[in-house]
Amino acid sequence: MLRIDDLRVNYGGIEAVKGVTFEVPEGEIVTLIGANGAGKSTTLRAIAGLVKPASGRIHLQAEDITGLSPDRIVSKGITLVPEGRHVFPDLTVLENLKIGAYLRTDSLEDDIKWVYDLFPRLKERSWQAAGTLSGGEQQMLAVGRALMSRPKIMMMDEPSLGLAPLVVKGIFEIIKEINRQGVTILLIEQNANMALHTADTAYVLETGRLTMSGTGKELLNDEAVKKAYLG
Amino acid sequence: MEFFISTLLFGISVGGQYALIAIGYTMVYGILRLINFAHGDVFMVAGLMGIYLTSSLGAYLSPTTILVSLILVLVLTVLLGFLIERVAYKPLRTAPRMSVMISAIGVSYLLQNTATYVTGGQPMTYPAIPFLSDTITVAGTPIKWVVILTPFLVVILVVALTQLINHTKVGMAMRAVAKDFETSQLMGIKINSVISTTFVIGSALAALGSMLYFTTYQAVTPTAGAMPGLKAFVAAVFGGIGSIPGAVIGAFLIGICENFVKVLPFEGATTFVDAFTFALLIIVLVFKPTGLFGEKATDKV
Ligand SMILES: Nc1ncnc2c1ncn2[C@@H]1O[C@H](COP(=O)(O)OP(=O)(O)O)[C@@H](O)[C@H]1O
Ligand SMILES: [Mg+2]
C-alpha cells in the first residue's frame, strides 16, 4: 500500500536517512525498530511531508506522493501521531478531536463516537483542556485525533515513550484493535519488545540504513536483535 | 467633576483606538512570536489612504463617497498587511527571529519613507466624517461623536473576534498554529493561510482604528503611526503579549492613564505625558513581568 524507495533525508550536511527501502502492505502492522538517532522519526516525517527527502520516492498505492505538503498527505489518507504526543494543551479534548478532522467537511458525529468507544476515558474528559490529561490519556487523545482524519494509514512515532508499562500495554491493545478495524499501521519504536510482538512485519533501522527485516516473530527470535534491542 | 468626565471619555476613546492596533500586535506575536514593528505604520498608511481616497473621489464629500472610500481603505489596508507578511516575513519563516525583526523594522521605515515621499512630509488633514466628526456637548465640553462611539465599537469588534477565535474552525486553527506549527500541519492545517488570516484581521482592525483615531486627531504625518503604534505595543505587552483580552484591557488602561497624567496639576505634565505613562507601565511590569494575562515563559525580543 505504501512503498518507500531509496529514501534519503539530510539535515544541513548530515544525512539522517541513507537510502531506506521498505513496504507497508495494506491491513498490516509494520514496525521500524532502532536505537535513538537511527533515523526512525526522520523517515516518518519525510512520509508525512514535514521534511523534504533529498532523493528517493514515496508511493501510496500507484500514486507518487513524494514531497507533497503535509496537508496533501493528510488528505491522501496518511496521518502521523507525533513523537511526544503533542496534543494541543489549551484546546479541549473534543476540540483536539475536531481539529484532527480539519480537512473534512462531512459530519464528525460517528467518528467522535468511534473514538470515544475506543477510549472511554476521553469521553469522560471531553470538556477538559488536553494539557490537564495524564501522559497515557494524552497518547490516547493523540491517537484519537489522528483517527479523526479517517486515515488509511496511521503512522505512530514511539507511542510508548515515557509511559508506564501497563499503560503501554493498553495502547498496544488499542493499536491492534484499530488495525483490526481496517487501518494499516506503521509503527516506530525503541521499545522493540512490544513492537515486535505486535507487528506483522518488522525492520531494523541502524544509523540511517535498514539492516534486517522479517516478521515480528522472526526478529524476536533473532540472536542479533535479542542482543542489541531486547537486552 | 465635568473635567473628570471629559478626561475619562477621551481616555477611554483613545484607549479603544489603541486597542484596535494592539490586537494586531498581540495576534501576530501569538502566532509568529514576532513584534511586527511595521504595524503602527500600516495604521498610518491607512490614515493617508483615507485622505487621498476621499479627496480623489470628488471635491464634494457626500456620505456615500466617504463610505465608499472608507471601505476601500479597509480593503487596501488588509491587502497591505497581507503583502507585507508574504513579502517580508514569510520568506524568513525558518530564519532566526532577529532577522524577521529586522525585516519588520525595514518595512516600518519603507512605509514611513514612502509616506514622506508621497506627502512631501507635510501634515495632511483627515476628512471630516459625517456624524462621527459632529460634536455634542457632554458635561459642558464639546466632544466629537467618535469619542463617544469608539468604546462601543471596540467592544463589539472584540466580542466578535473572540467568538471567531473560540467558536469557529478557523479560530481553532489559529489557536492550534499559535501553539505548535508542526503538529498543526499534521492536522492538515495550512499554516501560511492561517498566518495570513491573522495579518488580515490585524490590518483590518488597524484600518478601523485609523478611521476613529484620525477622525479625533486629524493630522496625519509619516510618523503619525509611530506613537500610537508604540503605545498599542506597550498595551499588548502590558496585557500579556499574545493575549487579546490582555491587549484590549491594557490599551484602555493606557488611554485613560495618559489622559489623566496630561491634566495633572503641575507644569510640564502635557510635555512629559508619554514618559509618565511608560514609567507607570514599567512599575507594573516590575511586579507582573509577563503582563496582566501573560503566559509564564514568553520569548524575549
Ligand atoms: N531537526 C534536525 N536537525 C538536525 N539534525 C536532526 C534533526 N532531527 C534529527 N536530526 C538528526 O538526524 C538523526 C536521526 O534522527 P531521528 O530521525 O530523530 O532518529 P530517531 O527517531 O530514530 O531517534 C540524528 O542523528 C539526529 O541528531
Ligand atoms: Mg525519534
Side-chain angles (χ1 to χ4, degrees):
Chain A
M1 174 174 234
L2 184 69
R3 205 175 73 240
I4 317 298
D5 286 308
D6 197 27
L7 181 74
R8 283 167 199 276
V9 184
N10 301 333
Y11 290 116
I14 309 153
E15 201 171 29
V17 175
K18 307 169 180 169
V20 159
T21 302
F22 67 98
E23 232 176 295
V24 183
E26 183 160 5
E28 278 200 11
I29 300 181
V30 173
T31 189
L32 252 61
I33 59 168
N36 195 14
K40 304 183 298 297
S41 297
T42 306
T43 306
L44 293 199
R45 290 162 55 80
I47 300 171
L50 289 175
V51 290
K52 299 267 174 275
S55 68
R57 310 268 27 128
I58 302 165
H59 282 88
L60 178 66
Q61 276 136 354
E63 192 181 357
D64 190 342
I65 57 165
T66 320
L68 292 187
S69 60
D71 56 290
R72 299 286 309 283
I73 297 288
V74 175
S75 71
K76 300 281 178 205
I78 301 178
T79 182
L80 169 61
V81 182
E83 184 172 357
R85 308 178 263 281
H86 288 275
V87 296
F88 295 105
D90 306 333
L91 271 57
T92 64
V93 167
L94 184 60
E95 282 179 323
N96 267 277
L97 293 181
K98 285 184 175 165
I99 209 163
Y102 187 76
L103 291 178
R104 291 175 46 188
T105 49
D106 54 335
S107 161
L108 305 180
E109 238 166 88
D110 292 347
D111 303 80
I112 291 174
K113 190 174 171 306
W114 176 42
V115 171
Y116 280 163
D117 285 344
L118 284 170
F119 304 106
R121 293 283 282 271
L122 294 183
K123 185 172 185 179
E124 293 162 24
R125 288 160 174 70
S126 197
W127 300 103
Q128 224 168 293
T132 65
L133 300 181
S134 72
E137 289 161 354
Q138 291 193 8
Q139 186 62 61
M140 294 174 195
L141 181 55
V143 173
R145 182 180 66 180
L147 291 175
M148 289 300 293
S149 67
R150 284 217 159 267
K152 297 187 188 107
I153 301 179
M154 179 164 70
M155 306 192 288
M156 307 180 78
D157 194 337
E158 306 214 29
S160 74
L161 197 73
L163 299 182
L166 207 64
V167 179
V168 173
K169 210 156 165 265
I171 295 280
F172 275 87
E173 284 310 316
I174 291 286
I175 295 174
K176 282 192 263 187
E177 175 59 30
I178 291 166
N179 177 247
R180 268 195 294 275
Q181 297 190 16
V183 181
T184 303
I185 310 268
L186 172 57
L187 169 74
I188 65 177
E189 265 297 347
Q190 281 188 66
N191 186 342
N193 194 20
M194 272 317 261
L196 293 178
H197 272 103
T198 313
D200 301 303
T201 308
Y203 297 89
V204 177
L205 189 64
E206 275 176 47
T207 57
R209 289 193 178 85
L210 289 179
T211 52
M212 252 186 274
S213 66
T215 64
K217 266 211 193 70
E218 281 164 7
L219 291 200
L220 265 177
N221 295 320
D222 185 279
E223 285 308 316
V225 172
K226 269 189 193 165
K227 205 157 149 247
Y229 299 103
L230 302 170
Chain B
M1 188 60 203
E2 290 178 354
F3 187 55
F4 178 84
I5 289 177
S6 65
T7 306
L8 186 64
L9 282 180
F10 276 112
I12 292 175
S13 168
V14 75
Q17 290 149 9
Y18 292 158
L20 293 180
I21 314 173
I23 292 171
Y25 275 112
T26 216
M27 283 179 78
V28 165
Y29 183 88
I31 219 153
L32 285 182
R33 301 292 179 275
L34 162 74
I35 307 294
N36 179 15
F37 287 105
H39 191 55
D41 305 292
V42 169
F43 165 86
M44 174 275 296
V45 171
L48 283 184
M49 288 197 295
I51 294 170
Y52 283 106
L53 282 169
T54 42
S55 65
S56 69
L57 282 181
Y60 170 69
L61 295 181
S62 75
T64 325
T65 49
I66 298 257
L67 188 68
V68 168
S69 47
L70 292 187
I71 291 171
L72 273 175
V73 168
L74 191 66
V75 173
L76 291 175
T77 310
V78 160
L79 196 66
L80 178 67
F82 174 85
L83 285 177
I84 289 173
E85 195 281 318
R86 281 293 150 113
V87 173
Y89 306 151
K90 183 171 171 246
L92 297 171
R93 199 75 88 217
T94 55
R97 204 159 295 157
M98 276 299 163
S99 318
V100 195
M101 218 173 71
I102 287 165
S103 188
I105 294 171
V107 174
S108 167
Y109 277 114
L110 176 67
L111 295 179
Q112 287 187 23
N113 294 351
T114 309
T116 309
Y117 182 79
V118 172
T119 61
Q122 296 301 315
M124 310 279 288
T125 307
Y126 207 69
I129 297 177
F131 182 63
L132 282 187
S133 302
D134 300 345
T135 54
I136 50 159
T137 307
V138 179
T141 319
I143 288 179
K144 284 183 185 167
W145 270 106
V146 66
V147 174
I148 312 283
L149 289 181
T150 294
F152 295 100
L153 198 64
V154 170
V155 167
I156 291 168
L157 287 169
V158 169
V159 169
L161 181 63
T162 359
Q163 291 297 310
L164 174 90
I165 287 175
N166 291 326
H167 300 292
T168 66
K169 198 167 171 176
V170 70
M172 191 164 69
M174 290 171 79
R175 283 181 289 148
V177 173
K179 260 291 175 283
D180 187 340
F181 269 26
E182 201 165 279
T183 310
S184 300
Q185 286 179 289
L186 290 176
M187 303 298 112
I189 297 170
K190 296 187 187 71
I191 53 170
N192 285 330
S193 49
V194 172
I195 291 168
S196 290
T197 307
T198 307
F199 275 82
V200 162
I201 293 172
S203 308
L205 294 177
L208 292 173
S210 84
M211 296 168 196
L212 301 173
Y213 184 88
F214 291 120
T215 301
T216 320
Y217 312 94
Q218 287 182 303
V220 185
T221 63
T223 52
M227 218 8 144
L230 200 55
K231 298 256 179 71
F233 166 60
V234 172
V237 174
F238 180 67
I241 191 138
S243 156
I244 293 174
V248 173
I249 291 169
F252 275 117
L253 286 178
I254 290 190
I256 295 166
C257 235
E258 70 174 14
N259 270 273
F260 278 101
V261 171
K262 231 183 258 177
V263 297
L264 284 180
F266 56 81
E267 214 186 324
T270 330
T271 315
F272 282 97
V273 58
D274 295 329
F276 277 125
T277 316
F278 278 67
L280 217 71
L281 288 169
I282 288 164
I283 293 166
V284 172
L285 288 176
V286 166
F287 293 103
K288 193 107 185 25
T290 54
L292 295 175
F293 297 83
E295 292 178 13
K296 313 125 265 149
T298 42
D299 294 7
K300 293 281 181 295
V301 190

